[in-house]
Structure formats: C-alpha cells, structure tokens
Amino acid sequence: RGLALGLVSSSSITTASQSKMTTLTQEQALANPALSSQLSQFPSNLHDLLSFSLHAKAPSNKHLAPPPKVVNVQEYLKTHEKMRVFHRGLQHLQSGKIGVLLLAGGQGTRLGFHKPKGCYRIDGLSRSLYEMQALQIRRLQRLEATSEASLDMILKQEDGDKSSQSMHHSSSAHKLGEVRCLIQWYIMTSPFTDDDTKAFFEKHNYFGLQKHQIHFFQQGSLPCMTEDGKFILETEKRIACAPDGNGGVYTSLQNSGILKHMRENGVQGLHMYCVDNALAKIADPIFIALCMEKEVKFAAKVIPKSYPEERVGVFAERNGKDLCVVEYSEMPSDFQNDSKFNHANILSFFYTTEFLEECASNVSKGRLPYHVARKMIPSIDSEGKPAKVEGIKLELFNFDICPLAGDKYFLLQVNREEEFAPLKNASGEKKDSPESCRAMVSRHNVKLLKSAGAIVNISEDNTSDNDMPVCEISPLISYNGEGLEAFKGKKVQLPVDLEEPKGGGNGDGVHLSV
C-alpha cells in the first residue's frame, strides 16, 4: 500500500470550483502534511484502478444460462442421509477446519436505530441479532458429532419408530458434550460500527463464547474522486472516503492478518453470511459437509424467487463457463420472467481458505474492475462550509469473484421460510421489516415444534405477520429442530420463549417463558 503518482499532475487545468480547494490533485494532496498520512493508506494502484473501472465494459448478459450445478436440499437429502451429512458437517466444524465470517458493517439507520444493525433486537423477541447468531455457534460447539458406526446403530434401533425418522427427532444422535474445539468467528465491522460492536460484545460477555475465538476487523474504504482523478475534500484536513463495498472483504481479510491467522490455525474454509438475516443458519453443518465432500472452492445458498418479477439478484452462468450474479435491473427483459432463472442470492457463501487468498490477490492487484457510482459527495466550499461535489465512489460486490471459481462451485437451494428473513426496512413496512422478521422466525419455530410432535394450536401459514404470536426457541436448546423431543405430545401455548434453565446446566432441560 502507499499511493504512487497517478493520472493527474499539478499542471492539470483548474476550474473555478477546484480553485476553492474542494478537490486536490494527487501532488497537491501529497504536499499537504494533514493529508499525506491518509494517502499512504490507499492502494498504490488507485488511479490505475479508477481508470480501469471507468473504462471497463459491463459484462454482456446476452449469453446467460441457468447455473447447472444446483442441488435442491430437499430432493438431495433423504431422511437418514440428512442425519449422516449433518454429523459429517459437525465433525468438520469441531475439528477446527471451518470458521465463520460475518459481514456486520451496516448501521440500523433505516430501522430508526443508530447503532450497528447486529445490536438490534426485533420487537417481541428477547435476543439481539448478534446474540441469536452467537448462540448458534455455542450450540454447534456442544453437539457431539456422532460417528458413522454409531449412527448405523442408532438408525437400526429406531428403524421401526416412524416418529424417529427425521434427524430432528433422534435424541440419541444429538447429545451434548464438552466443547473440544472453538469455532473461529471473524466479524467484519466498519469505521461506523467497530467501536459500538466491540463494546456490545464486551457488555454481554461475548454471549458465552471465548473472547479469543472472536476476531474483529474493519472493512476498507476508498477515496471519493472526480472523473479526472482528483481527490474530494471532506474537510480541509481530510479526504472524503466511502466504504469499498462488501467485496472489500477480500483485501480486508488479507490486510488485517485474518487470512494469516486462518492458515496458522488450520482453518480450511469459511461460511460467510450477513448480519441482517434473522433466519441465518450459521455454519450449517449440512452445507459445510456438502461443500467439503464436493471439494469446491466456492458455494452459495440460494432460494426460489417469491414471484417472477421479484427484484433480487440471481445466479447464472455467463458464456457457458462463468458463474455470476445478475441484478434484476441488469437482467435482459426476456429473462426477467423466465422461471429457469430462479436461484436468488441470499448472501450465504462458502469459501475455501485457498480461494479467499486467490480472491484477495486478484482484488489487490487490480484485476477486477470496481463498480462506479456517481454521487454528490459531501465536501466543503472555500469558506469551509458544507457543500457537495459531483464525484465517484468505487465499490466491489462480494459476488464479483464468482468467475474465479471456474467449475469448482455448487449452489444449494434451500427454503426461504427456513433460512431467509432479511431485516431492511422500518417498522410498519410490509416487507423485510421487524414485524415480518418476527413472524417468519415464529412460523419457523412453530413448524419445528410440530415436527417434533408438539401440539401448537395455530395455523402458522394462514396467520398474518401482525397476528402471528411469538414463538422463540433459544439456539442453545435447538439449532434446527433437534433437542425438542421432550415436547412430543405436549401442548405449547403461544406466545412462548423456550430457553435453557438459568445457570445453563447440561442443556437437557428447557425453561418456558410466556
């Protein structure tokens, strides 16, 4: 890192607005002691990257095809096979081979919440997003990974009991044990969320996890520039910057030393997800097992679109070889309603460590063009008063690296109702709001209880979001339905919060809070 001389010299033509020093050439900025240290933090190939990105041609979407390597989780996993794959995934997790990567750079501004979004607690639920996710990791660390031989014996013993045919109902296959290996949790914050996020984790004693298994690092930023490569001043002593997009995670992993830490600690792959999905399955053992067994570099979970016109990005294959994500606005009109393009991106990815290193190398060497966003950038005028300058923000999306995977990928199609409840909009909105997330979490938990044989007198699929009573299940009780055997044949009255007894115990007891 460290900025080299680029496109613009001090001999450039100066306009009236630039004479007010709202923008600076590179040489002018380097001559300013207050700015030179900030400049040293930017990539050395910054101006080459700007030029490359400005002149890069958008990929053609004329030759798109549905991605061929899609596995439907319901069709692929038979009842007994599901249990086996789950435990194979647990074995990978509990051997320390797989870590978790959380993208948590966003604030809850659109929710009317001026703190990191992960600190947000959905009204009616008792746990913040961060806590819901941390407790899943704790549960996965405590579940005993059962060997193939033991599973054979368990399945043979229970073969005659139809109620035990789901992996969720087999209590003998899902025992809790001592934590033998800590799952490493890497959390990417931003300059806007870093301090508050760390303070929140410390305040809550890291939600029962070990402090040293949680690794915070910050998302990078890039300077805001004009079309001709001048820097836009935010203040007289600071260049305006903007986050480099969620695709900046690759260089941030490298620059922060996280990739080195992974290598030194035997972490061979990561599950990545975003903080604002209230139904995110953290380090899903089934997903992990399939990724490891298929020996892929990259994998992603996808869901079918709710309706053909839904404005979501979908996975496709370009030119018969390159995996890509095509945003709805970029999809050719004759493809937008094509049911074959039905694999919506929910930002739940798997990477091998080797592939992450490859991605970081390609991004840092400027081999991937950034997306150019033309915006009015907050700046100052000649009197130091707030002003705005037309400029450019450069950002990379985390799916821009998909073509680098070649044919070493697969997509796992999962159920939206079980794995995707995005929290994007303020209370009162019809979609992606606290109310819709609370309802989706509750519906999913009701289905888990009913699947375990509990009696819950509500038709969850026919109840509106506002009328859906709360049904919470602490991840310490159940990761995804296992551990609920005690409710077979019992009535559960909503609203309810199923949690561990105070003091934790061994996890076999359940405390009901109404």
Side-chain angles (χ1 to χ4, degrees):
R1 301 180 76 85
L3 198 60
L5 293 180
L7 295 175
V8 184
S9 71
S10 58
S11 61
S12 299
I13 296 175
T14 303
T15 67
S17 65
Q18 290 158 357
S19 68
K20 296 179 181 180
M21 301 302 287
T22 58
T23 63
L24 293 178
T25 66
Q26 186 170 285
E27 287 185 344
Q28 290 170 334
L30 286 169
N32 187 324
L35 302 177
S36 58
S37 62
Q38 187 183 4
L39 288 173
S40 67
Q41 299 173 20
F42 300 149
S44 60
N45 59 348
L46 178 62
H47 283 96
D48 290 336
L49 183 61
L50 173 64
S51 178
F52 178 40
S53 301
L54 283 171
H55 295 96
K57 291 183 178 180
S60 172
N61 289 327
K62 293 182 179 179
H63 303 290
L64 293 175
K69 297 186 177 185
V70 181
V71 176
N72 184 303
V73 71
Q74 296 297 325
E75 294 177 1
Y76 181 80
L77 298 173
K78 304 302 180 182
T79 301
H80 291 176
E81 184 66 16
K82 187 173 186 178
M83 186 187 293
R84 294 184 191 280
V85 176
F86 184 88
H87 281 272
R88 288 173 193 155
L90 269 184
Q91 289 169 3
H92 289 301
L93 286 165
Q94 294 178 2
S95 68
K97 294 179 180 179
I98 304 298
V100 176
L101 172 60
L102 165 59
L103 303 187
Q107 291 179 301
T109 307
R110 288 167 66 182
L111 302 169
F113 181 70
H114 299 288
K115 292 286 185 179
K117 193 179 283 188
C119 302
Y120 187 79
R121 181 181 62 81
I122 296 170
D123 187 38
L125 301 184
S126 62
R127 301 167 185 88
S128 67
L129 293 172
Y130 280 141
E131 182 175 6
M132 293 165 66
Q133 295 159 15
L135 297 189
Q136 288 188 58
I137 294 176
R138 283 181 59 188
R139 176 73 177 179
L140 290 173
Q141 290 179 164
R142 294 168 60 189
L143 278 172
E144 285 191 353
T146 306
S147 68
E148 292 284 340
S150 297
L151 283 173
D152 287 339
M153 185 177 299
I154 291 168
L155 293 172
K156 184 176 181 180
Q157 291 172 349
E158 298 183 346
D159 189 51
D161 183 356
K162 292 183 180 180
S163 66
S164 298
Q165 293 302 299
S166 167
M167 75 165 217
H168 302 318
H169 302 158
S170 182
S171 59
S172 54
H174 294 286
K175 294 181 178 179
L176 298 181
E178 295 181 1
V179 176
R180 294 182 174 85
C181 184
L182 299 177
I183 297 172
Q184 301 301 306
W185 195 8
Y186 305 100
I187 301 177
M188 187 176 80
T189 63
S190 69
F192 313 105
T193 64
D194 189 65
D195 289 342
D196 286 338
T197 297
K198 290 176 179 176
F200 192 75
F201 271 74
E202 185 174 359
K203 177 182 177 181
H204 293 279
N205 197 27
Y206 301 91
F207 307 106
L209 294 169
Q210 298 296 313
K211 180 179 179 179
H212 63 268
Q213 76 182 104
I214 302 174
H215 312 273
F216 298 101
F217 67 105
Q218 286 194 43
Q219 179 180 0
S221 60
L222 290 172
C224 300
M225 293 181 285
T226 60
E227 290 271 351
D228 56 357
K230 295 182 175 67
F231 298 108
I232 297 173
L233 289 179
E234 179 182 354
T235 69
E236 292 180 2
K237 297 182 178 181
R238 182 168 179 81
I239 295 170
C241 291
D244 55 4
N246 58 20
V249 65
Y250 306 111
T251 50
S252 294
L253 284 168
Q254 182 181 62
N255 297 334
S256 65
I258 295 295
L259 287 177
K260 180 181 179 182
H261 178 275
M262 291 167 59
R263 278 291 188 189
E264 292 176 348
N265 288 273
V267 178
Q268 298 178 10
L270 288 182
H271 172 231
M272 184 281 292
Y273 70 100
C274 288
V275 71
D276 57 3
N277 180 4
L279 280 177
K281 279 187 182 178
I282 315 305
D284 177 11
I286 289 175
F287 186 39
I288 298 302
L290 290 174
C291 291
M292 299 296 278
E293 290 170 16
K294 290 179 176 293
E295 297 183 340
V296 294
K297 290 181 175 182
F298 173 82
K301 287 187 174 184
V302 296
I303 56 174
K305 293 190 287 187
S306 292
Y307 48 93
E309 302 83 11
E310 184 177 11
R311 301 183 69 85
V312 293
V314 297
F315 280 92
E317 201 166 72
R318 182 179 283 124
N319 299 324
K321 59 184 180 69
D322 292 333
L323 180 68
C324 63
V325 172
V326 183
E327 294 294 346
Y328 180 86
S329 59
E330 300 173 353
M331 181 73 73
S333 57
D334 55 335
F335 287 175
Q336 287 178 353
N337 298 329
D338 191 331
S339 61
K340 295 192 295 294
F341 293 94
N342 197 31
H343 306 106
N345 176 27
I346 63 171
L347 291 172
S348 182
F349 297 165
F350 169 86
Y351 313 84
T352 63
T353 300
E354 184 177 353
F355 185 54
L356 283 171
E357 292 170 336
E358 180 183 346
C359 294
S361 175
N362 276 273
V363 174
S364 63
K365 292 177 180 178
R367 293 172 180 165
L368 296 179
Y370 278 62
H371 300 266
V372 175
R374 291 173 172 83
K375 304 280 186 180
M376 295 304 295
I377 309 298
S379 183
I380 55 173
D381 62 16
S382 60
E383 298 178 355
K385 295 180 180 180
K388 289 192 175 181
V389 175
E390 187 174 350
I392 286 174
K393 293 181 179 181
L394 295 176
E395 59 181 355
L396 197 67
F397 300 147
N398 56 5
F399 53 72
D400 288 335
I401 52 80
C402 286
L404 299 177
D407 62 354
K408 293 290 187 179
Y409 79 88
F410 90 102
L411 307 178
L412 184 67
Q413 181 171 307
V414 298
N415 293 330
R416 178 188 296 258
E417 295 77 13
E418 297 178 3
E419 301 210 25
F420 191 56
L423 181 60
K424 303 289 187 184
N425 300 321
S427 179
E429 297 288 334
K430 292 183 179 180
K431 184 181 178 184
D432 301 343
S433 67
E435 292 85 0
S436 66
C437 286
R438 182 180 64 237
M440 290 189 72
V441 169
S442 296
R443 289 190 187 102
H444 177 55
N445 288 336
V446 167
K447 289 180 179 180
L448 292 180
L449 283 167
K450 287 184 175 181
S451 180
I455 302 169
V456 188
N457 292 322
I458 188 169
S459 177
E460 66 276 5
D461 292 328
N462 297 318
T463 304
S464 68
D465 288 352
N466 288 330
D467 293 333
M468 183 69 201
V470 171
C471 181
E472 274 193 279
I473 300 175
S474 167
L476 294 180
I477 296 298
S478 178
Y479 175 81
N480 190 43
E482 83 295 333
L484 300 178
E485 298 82 15
F487 292 96
K488 181 180 178 181
K490 295 182 179 179
K491 291 184 178 180
V492 177
Q493 185 70 37
L494 303 183
V496 69
D497 178 11
L498 308 183
E499 58 183 1
E500 271 199 327
K502 299 299 181 182
N506 60 9
D508 295 331
V510 179
H511 175 70
L512 277 66
S513 175
V514 179

